[in-house]
Amino acid sequence: MKRLFILFALFILNNSLALAQNQPLRDKFVLVIHGGAGTILKSQMTPEKEKAFQDALNKALQLGNDILQKGGTALDAVEAAVRSMEDNPLFNAGKGAVFTNEGKNELDAAIMNGENLAAGSVAGVTTIKNPISAARAVMEKSPHVMMTGKGAEKFAREKGLEIVDPSYFYTEHRWKALQAAIAEDSTKMKLDHDDSTRQSALKQPENRDYKYGTVGAVALDRHGNLAAATSTGGMTNKKFGRVGDAPIIGAGTYANNQTVAVSGTGWGEYFIRLVMAKSISDMMEFGKMPLKKAADEMVMKRLPALGGDGGLIAVDKDGNIAMPFCTEGMYRGFIDNSGKKEVRIYKD
Ligand code: ASP
């Protein structure tokens, strides 16, 4: 009798697994990307530069779209979209990463799978060509969630990821931005005679005026799964060892099939303190708020109220999207199964 019961249970389990694997693909899929928020003004843009950004965003959208359309996973789509922006020197991630105060490039990245809340991240890495793939390797090939510095680099090498000399990340425009940031900070120090302004200058060593350029992607795939990915060089002139929000799960990156996938860009310290991405998910889960309301509350109200700025992209479990930012602009775009595609840079 017991044997019969076990056989019956195995039969049921087998059938439900087969059913799960053969589930018909849904029509709905969405990919949203960002290439950073900040002081992005049309008046400071040349038509060539604008086109270069648009082309880069379109390319990332197309790569992710091709994966999603064929029934590929949200994880593969967000990784592919982010990798393509990491390889483009226009963005503050991978090749175009900003410089630290010491003149180095220290990169952070994270990825999360909304299906099972698996997550992986790397922080402060200097030799991994595509940090987002290293984050994925941490998620899938280690028992850990976050690895930093030399250890993360050793792990990435062992897993066969592409390793480059730190000089690969040198770009002239980022080097100049560092020199400008250092000069601006030292002027600020000299000008600040009274103690309160001196304190506020000291609080802003990373220089908030240099636009953020982190990249990120969120997707809903045809299996109904959500994923989020974020990659960054951090903030120009950041101090040694500084880690931003991008690799902190729940701050700059989060995905949960029950609610939403989020990727942020902006002043990382504030995103961490607000637990930005997870707060939006919680507002949706426990407060039953629609995505737009939750995202606006965090980005348009609580973030500036605390003194920070930035933006984020999000897609919820039903495919609704939000792209709020409280800066002048945010490189952003989306594509969905209806073929609707949009790339934007400035405020509307
Ligand atoms: N959020 C990033 C950080 O603070 C910066 C950015 O978005 O560009 O590291």
Side-chain angles (χ1 to χ4, degrees):
M1 188 62 191
K2 200 172 162 194
R3 228 196 208 157
L4 211 68
F5 177 74
I6 292 175
L7 276 177
F8 180 68
L10 281 175
F11 174 78
I12 297 283
L13 183 75
N14 206 21
N15 270 2
S16 48
L17 276 179
L19 214 81
Q21 277 158 11
N22 295 329
Q23 253 177 15
L25 289 175
R26 304 171 188 194
D27 288 336
K28 185 91 192 163
F29 67 84
V30 189
L31 172 69
V32 193
I33 60 169
H34 71 76
T39 319
I40 308 164
L41 293 166
K42 195 162 175 71
S43 55
Q44 288 165 10
M45 192 71 92
T46 61
E48 295 74 34
K49 209 168 153 200
E50 197 175 89
K51 182 168 184 311
F53 272 106
Q54 280 163 348
D55 288 350
L57 293 169
N58 275 315
K59 184 179 168 194
L61 281 176
Q62 205 51 55
L63 280 168
N65 180 73
D66 291 349
I67 292 169
L68 293 172
Q69 199 162 36
K70 288 188 200 125
T73 65
L75 267 185
D76 283 345
V78 295
E79 183 187 4
V82 166
R83 275 182 73 105
S84 107
M85 292 187 281
E86 282 180 338
D87 291 341
N88 191 323
L90 282 178
F91 302 105
N92 171 20
K95 173 70 187 149
V98 298
F99 283 93
T100 66
N101 177 262
E102 290 181 313
K104 293 183 183 164
N105 309 97
E106 296 180 356
L107 290 69
D108 301 337
I111 194 162
M112 186 158 184
N113 183 355
E115 188 184 0
N116 52 8
L117 302 187
S121 73
V122 293
V125 296
T126 58
T127 60
I128 302 172
K129 181 168 178 267
N130 291 104
I132 198 62
S133 297
R136 184 158 181 186
V138 171
M139 175 173 83
E140 290 176 344
K141 298 177 181 161
S142 90
H144 308 302
V145 168
M146 186 175 205
M147 294 176 91
T148 68
K150 294 277 166 274
E153 287 168 5
K154 185 166 180 235
F155 174 77
R157 195 174 304 117
E158 278 174 14
K159 297 300 166 203
L161 296 183
E162 194 172 346
I163 302 298
V164 291
D165 187 83
S167 61
Y168 164 79
F169 298 106
Y170 177 89
T171 54
E172 205 189 330
H173 70 293
R174 297 296 187 202
W175 184 253
K176 282 187 179 154
L178 173 65
Q179 305 315 315
I182 290 173
E184 192 176 309
D185 281 348
S186 72
T187 324
K188 229 190 251 168
M189 298 297 170
K190 277 183 214 137
L191 288 174
D192 285 338
H193 295 304
D194 85 272
D195 212 46
S196 64
T197 38
R198 187 189 300 275
Q199 284 311 318
S200 83
L202 286 170
K203 270 195 210 152
Q204 300 182 12
E206 289 87 7
N207 201 309
R208 62 182 303 185
D209 294 334
Y210 288 89
K211 62 173 175 287
Y212 316 118
T214 290
V215 305
V218 294
L220 170 70
D221 67 25
R222 298 182 64 192
H223 309 272
N225 292 323
L226 293 171
T230 315
S231 181
T232 186
M235 290 172 77
T236 301
N237 201 20
K238 67 183 180 182
K239 293 287 179 286
F240 34 78
R242 181 262 190 188
V243 174
D245 59 309
I248 312 275
I249 300 303
T253 308
Y254 190 72
N256 180 346
N257 271 12
Q258 304 308 313
T259 51
V260 67
V262 179
S263 168
T265 168
W267 198 343
E269 278 69 11
Y270 291 87
F271 278 61
I272 297 173
R273 291 165 61 197
L274 286 166
V275 200
M276 178 63 83
K278 176 67 160 57
S279 294
I280 293 173
S281 172
D282 285 349
M283 284 163 147
M284 295 174 70
E285 185 173 0
F286 306 120
K288 304 286 169 231
M289 273 195 200
L291 168 61
K292 190 175 169 355
K293 199 169 171 213
D296 278 350
E297 172 68 30
M298 291 304 295
V299 176
M300 308 309 283
K301 291 190 190 154
R302 299 192 192 194
L303 177 61
L306 205 61
D309 61 1
L312 57 80
I313 50 166
V315 58
D316 73 12
K317 63 180 178 21
D318 303 315
N320 300 305
I321 68 170
M323 306 187 283
F325 54 95
C326 62
T327 47
E328 293 299 333
M330 179 167 82
Y331 300 107
R332 62 202 187 277
F334 72 87
I335 191 160
D336 67 18
N337 54 297
S338 71
K340 195 167 172 212
K341 186 172 167 195
E342 227 173 81
V343 160
R344 289 190 184 191
I345 298 180
Y346 316 104
K347 269 187 197 152
D348 298 322

